[in-house]
Amino acid sequence: NAGVTQTPKFQVLKTGQSMTLQCAQDMNHEYMSWYRQDPGMGLRLIHYSVGAGITDQGEVPNGYNVSRSTTEDFPLRLLSAAPSQTSVYFCASSSTSGSRDYEQYFGPGTRLTVT
Amino acid sequence: AQSVTQPDIHITVSEGASLELRCNYSYGATPYLFWYVQSPGQGLQLLLKYFSGDTLVQGIKGFEAEFKRSQSSFNLRKPSVHWSDAAEYFCAVGNNQGGKLIFGQGTELSVKP
């Protein structure tokens, strides 16, 4: 199993550009989430999904869109990048069944800089 | 409001000394509690979790945590710290709905030789 994979690892955008951060998992987890990590603020939930076709907002959703057409993929779209979106982005997945239920598995992260 | 507070931003301990990292939470439902560790430039690794049952839980790398409902706390402990434990530690709370965790601000641990 590859676990949770994220691409790209690093990205530099100019203000106003759009892009999609990719996230995929091969564990057949029903739950997937996006977090951003900023110094001194821990991780904050952007959007999450409880299954294909179902998404909901987290704590800091503004400026981001998500969709989940398959169980495996959960892309995060920045519609018009702003310097305030400079951050490290983590994707995570979890399941509510099995011996490791509710444990979130994290991807390696995407470091995004918006200039 | 739901929140997690880690009162200590940075802690320095000597190698071989004991460690306790504090975590307090505010959560309306039955909390599912987690401790994660993050080494520099890396992702997050789960150290341990508490859902129910025995309030003292054992995790990987010799860590343990104790859930105290009356104090809304879930402190992380290790009897003897190793230099490789230097990292940032995050406490998080969630519920049985999955997919949503609330994280504390993190505690950075430095280990003196």
Side-chain angles (χ1 to χ4, degrees):
Chain A
N1 282 355
V4 179
T5 58
Q6 292 182 237
T7 56
K9 284 187 169 42
F10 301 93
Q11 183 71 48
V12 179
L13 289 179
K14 294 188 187 305
T15 297
Q17 287 184 317
S18 63
M19 80 159 294
T20 299
L21 307 185
Q22 300 292 344
C23 174
Q25 53 95 5
D26 62 358
M27 297 172 283
N28 203 33
H29 285 171
E30 57 266 49
Y31 294 95
M32 296 187 75
S33 311
W34 276 103
Y35 297 86
R36 59 177 289 172
Q37 182 178 24
D38 302 292
M41 304 189 75
L43 281 79
R44 293 179 292 168
L45 183 66
I46 304 171
H47 285 286
Y48 68 101
S49 169
V50 300
I54 307 170
T55 63
D56 203 350
Q57 296 181 350
E59 183 184 352
V60 288
N62 292 343
Y64 307 95
N65 271 3
V66 292
S67 61
R68 190 155 175 216
S69 55
T70 67
T71 300
E72 295 78 21
D73 300 298
F74 191 44
L76 178 72
R77 298 182 187 83
L78 282 70
L79 306 175
S80 177
S84 60
Q85 294 178 304
T86 293
S87 187
V88 181
Y89 292 85
F90 288 99
C91 179
S93 73
S94 62
S95 173
T96 58
S97 62
S99 61
R100 303 185 75 171
D101 54 333
Y102 306 106
E103 175 183 336
Q104 291 210 6
Y105 292 75
F106 283 84
T110 294
R111 186 174 295 274
L112 175 68
T113 302
V114 183
T115 61
Chain B
Q2 301 172 346
S3 65
V4 176
T5 301
Q6 295 178 243
D8 304 305
I9 295 173
H10 190 198
I11 284 182
T12 299
V13 300
S14 297
E15 190 168 17
S18 64
L19 171 70
E20 182 169 27
L21 302 183
R22 296 182 291 165
C23 173
N24 293 97
Y25 66 90
S26 172
Y27 202 71
T30 300
Y32 286 31
L33 293 156
F34 305 83
W35 274 99
Y36 285 87
V37 61
Q38 184 181 36
S39 298
Q42 303 298 310
L44 281 79
Q45 180 183 24
L46 181 70
L47 286 175
L48 47 77
K49 62 186 179 185
Y50 172 78
F51 296 160
S52 64
D54 192 348
T55 56
L56 184 64
V57 292
Q58 303 297 321
I60 62 171
K61 305 185 180 187
F63 285 93
E64 66 178 26
E66 186 171 13
F67 171 59
K68 294 185 177 180
R69 185 184 298 276
S70 61
Q71 299 177 18
S72 297
S73 69
F74 189 56
N75 294 348
L76 182 71
R77 301 195 293 250
K78 186 170 185 178
S80 178
V81 169
H82 188 262
W83 63 266
S84 61
D85 293 324
E88 189 153 23
Y89 291 79
F90 292 96
C91 180
V93 65
N95 60 23
N96 62 356
Q97 302 303 307
K100 297 171 63 175
L101 287 180
I102 300 169
F103 283 83
Q105 304 92 319
T107 297
E108 185 178 354
L109 173 66
S110 298
V111 180
K112 291 190 301 186

